[in-house]
C-alpha cells in the first residue's frame, strides 16, 4: 500500500511541563507542572486517532526548568532508536516551554533522521479555562504525521505556528503567543491540523549534522561544562574566574548589544582565551546577530561570536563543539553552520 493512503504512526514521548500540569482550580494561576501521564494526555484528545496511529511513552515528568542532559541524552537515544523503525513516521515530544528551545536545538543537532520530530507544550495547565495543550498536541501530531514535514529539522508547534529549532525563542512568561522566530521567520503554520510550509531550515540539522551519528546509542560523547555569564552595568569580571575554577572549558557571554562587556571583563576574558578557554560572545538582546570584529577585535582577543544563536543555544553548540575539537576556527565555523 502506498504511504499516502496509509495512516502514519506517530509516537508521543512525554517529558512533563505545563501541558501535563494541573492547577488548583480552572481559574487559578497556581499550578504544578508535570502531573499527568502520557496516556491520560492522549485520551484527553480522542481526535488524535483521526490523524495517525498513536502510541505514547513516558520519558520523564518534570517542569522543564529541571530538564537535564541525563534526560536529554535518554530522549535523544530513544528518538534515534525509534526512527530506525520503518513503521514509525514521526515523533512528538511534549515538553515544558521554559527550556523547550534548548531541547529543540540540542535535538536538531543530535537526531539522526529526516523524519519529523516535533516538540509541543502549553502555557496553561491541562485543567485551566481555555487550556492550550490539547490543540497544540493535535497540531503537533498533524505535523509529525505529515510527509511534507520531513527534512525540515526539529520543529516546535505552539499556538498554530511551526517554528524551526534554530530560530525560535520564548518571549513572554505567560501568554499563549510566547514563541517567536524573530531572526529567520516561521517554518509554517498549522490550523486545526491543516499544515502550510513556507521554507526549509537555512542551517545544517538532524541527519545533516556531523554530531547526530554520535547519539544513536550509548556511550554518548562527554559534554564539557560551559557556563553563561550575563553582562550588565559594572559586571564583575571575576565571574569568569569562578567559572573556570569550577571546571568550565567554555564561557558564553550574554553580552549587551552586539555581544559587548565592560573593559575589565573583556581583559579577563581575553586572558582566559589565551589560556585555551573558549569564549563565545552572544547577546542578551532577543533579536539580531553578533558579528566578528565590529566593536572589538575578536581576531586579536581570541573570541568566537555566536552569530544568530542566543546564549542558551550557543552554550549547547559550544558543549558539542568542545566535545570534538579545541580549534577556535573550527568552532567559529560551527556557529556559522548550525
Ligand atoms: C515548564 O517549562 O515546564 C513550565 C512552563 C511551561 O511548560 O510553560
Amino acid at each position: 500500500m502506498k504511504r499516502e493512503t496509509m495512516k502514519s504512526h506517530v509516537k508521543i514521548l512525554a517529558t512533563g511541563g505545563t501541558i501535563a500540569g494541573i492547577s488548583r482550580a480552572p481559574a487559578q494561576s497556581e499550578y504544578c507542572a508535570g502531573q499527568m501521564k502520557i496516556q491520560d494526555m492522549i485520551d484527553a484528545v480522542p481526535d488524535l486517532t483521526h490523524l495517525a496511529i498513536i502510541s505514547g511513552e513516558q520519558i520523564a515528568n518534570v517542569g522543564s526548568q529541571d530538564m537535564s542532559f541525563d534526560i536529554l541524552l535518554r530522549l535523544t537515544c530513544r528518538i534515534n532508536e525509534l526512527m530506525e523503525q520503518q513503521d514509525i513516521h514521526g515523533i512528538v515530544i511534549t515538553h515544558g516551554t521554559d527550556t523547550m528551545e534548548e531541547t529543540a536545538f540540542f535535538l536538531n543537532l543530535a537526531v539522526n533522521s529526516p523524519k519529523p520530530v516535533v516538540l509541543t507544550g502549553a502555557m496553561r495547565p491541562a485543567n485551566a479555562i481555555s487550556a492550550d495543550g490539547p490543540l497544540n498536541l493535535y497540531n503537533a501530531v498533524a505535523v509529525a504525521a505529515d510527509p511534507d514535514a520531513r527534512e525540515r529539522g526539529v520543529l516546535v508547534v505552539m499556538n498554530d505556528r511551526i517554528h524551526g529549532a534554530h530560530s525560535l525563542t520564548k518571549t513572554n512568561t505567560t501568554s499563549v503567543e510566547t514563541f517567536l522566530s524573530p531572526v529567520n521567520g516561521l517554518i509554517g503554520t498549522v490550523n486545526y491540523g491543516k499544515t502550510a510550509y513556507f521554507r526549509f531550515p537555512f542551517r545544517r540539522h538532524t541527519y545533516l549534522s556531523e554530531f547526530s551519528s554520535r547519539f544513536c546509542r550509548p556511550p554518548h560523547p562527554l559534554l564539557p561544562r560551559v557556563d553563561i555569564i550575563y553582562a550588565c552595568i559594572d559586571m564583575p569580571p571575576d565571574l569568569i574566574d569562578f567559572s573556570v575554577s569550577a571546571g568550565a572549558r567554555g564561557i558564553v557571554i550574554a553580552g549587551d548589544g552586539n555581544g559587548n562587556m565592560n573593559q575589565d571583563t573583556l581583559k579577563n576574558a581575553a586572558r582566559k582565551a589565551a589560556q585555551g578557554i573558549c569564549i563565545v560572545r552572544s547577546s542578551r538582546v532577543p533579536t539580531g546577530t553578533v558579528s566578528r570584529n565590529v566593536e572589538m577585535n575578536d581576531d586579536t582577543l581570541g573570541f568566537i561570536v555566536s552569530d544568530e544563536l542566543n546564549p542558551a543555544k550557543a552554550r549547547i553548540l559550544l558543549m558539542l563543539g568542545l566535545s570534538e575539537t579545541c580549534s577556535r576556527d573550527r568552532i567559529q565555523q560551527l556557529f556559522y553552520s548550525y
Side-chain angles (χ1 to χ4, degrees):
M1 209 189 308
K2 278 184 62 193
R3 172 76 207 287
E4 298 87 81
T5 60
M6 288 171 9
K7 255 192 202 165
S8 297
H9 183 174
V10 172
K11 177 74 92 175
I12 306 178
L13 303 178
T15 70
T18 299
I19 192 168
I22 301 288
S23 58
R24 276 155 53 105
Q28 273 196 9
S29 58
E30 242 180 286
Y31 77 101
C32 196
Q35 301 298 299
M36 279 175 82
K37 296 272 175 23
I38 180 58
Q39 196 53 48
D40 297 330
M41 290 162 67
I42 293 171
D43 292 346
V45 192
D47 284 351
L48 292 179
T49 54
H50 299 154
L51 298 170
I53 300 162
I54 304 290
S55 57
E57 246 177 71
Q58 195 81 42
I59 301 289
N61 211 357
V62 294
S64 74
Q65 60 274 33
D66 286 320
M67 182 53 61
S68 61
F69 280 102
D70 180 39
I71 300 173
L72 203 43
L73 289 172
R74 268 196 291 122
L75 176 67
T76 309
C77 202
R78 185 65 184 133
I79 294 170
N80 281 333
E81 198 174 70
L82 287 165
M83 288 311 203
E84 283 174 12
Q85 285 178 219
Q86 291 222 330
D87 61 340
I88 297 285
H89 301 107
I91 289 179
V92 168
I93 299 145
T94 57
H95 196 289
T97 61
D98 286 356
T99 61
M100 189 182 279
E101 64 199 85
E102 287 167 74
T103 293
F105 186 66
F106 182 86
L107 295 177
N108 204 41
L109 302 169
V111 166
N112 194 24
S113 171
K115 297 180 193 175
V117 174
V118 183
L119 284 92
T120 194
M123 292 300 287
R124 297 177 183 147
N127 60 333
I129 294 177
S130 288
D132 52 332
L135 185 53
N136 284 341
L137 184 61
Y138 183 84
N139 280 334
V141 167
V143 173
D146 183 2
D148 284 350
R150 289 171 63 98
E151 298 177 24
R152 293 184 197 268
V154 171
L155 302 170
V156 170
V157 167
M158 290 284 294
N159 208 30
D160 294 1
R161 317 278 197 258
I162 308 173
H163 299 269
H166 172 92
S167 308
L168 96 152
T169 191
K170 186 172 181 177
T171 65
N172 190 289
T173 52
T174 54
S175 167
V176 293
E177 180 63 342
T178 186
F179 283 104
L180 299 177
S181 290
V183 178
N184 288 320
L186 293 174
I187 297 282
T189 57
V190 50
N191 187 245
Y192 292 100
K194 192 171 180 323
T195 54
Y197 301 97
F198 310 149
R199 66 175 179 91
F200 283 87
F202 301 127
R203 302 292 180 111
R204 286 175 73 178
H205 60 83
T206 56
Y207 66 105
L208 303 171
S209 155
E210 66 208 75
F211 302 106
S212 56
S213 60
R214 302 169 60 207
F215 290 96
C216 289
R217 32 194 75 76
H220 305 300
L222 281 178
L223 297 174
R225 174 168 170 160
V226 171
D227 288 349
I228 299 173
I229 298 180
Y230 196 92
C232 52
I233 288 179
D234 240 342
M235 170 182 194
D238 56 1
L239 291 176
I240 294 181
D241 299 321
F242 175 77
S243 276
V244 172
S245 60
R249 286 185 50 211
I251 292 171
V252 175
I253 307 284
D256 19 53
N258 196 346
N260 287 320
M261 61 202 95
N262 62 16
Q263 282 302 314
D264 286 346
T265 305
L266 189 107
K267 284 185 199 140
N268 198 10
R271 273 196 297 276
K272 294 296 181 295
Q275 291 161 17
I277 303 296
C278 258
I279 306 286
V280 173
R281 293 194 301 112
S282 180
S283 179
R284 66 183 205 180
V285 178
T287 81
T289 58
V290 176
S291 336
R292 285 191 75 80
N293 302 326
V294 176
E295 291 182 60
M296 65 185 83
N297 191 322
D298 293 291
D299 296 343
T300 313
L301 295 163
F303 296 162
I304 292 161
V305 294
S306 72
D307 194 39
E308 294 180 352
L309 295 183
N310 68 20
K313 293 183 196 174
R315 170 176 176 254
I316 283 172
L317 183 56
L318 186 54
M319 288 170 86
L320 284 167
L322 282 171
S323 74
E324 279 200 344
T325 179
C326 295
S327 157
R328 221 174 267 154
D329 291 346
R330 177 79 198 97
I331 291 175
Q332 181 63 78
Q333 282 315 312
L334 294 177
F335 278 91
Y336 292 137
S337 306
Y338 291 95

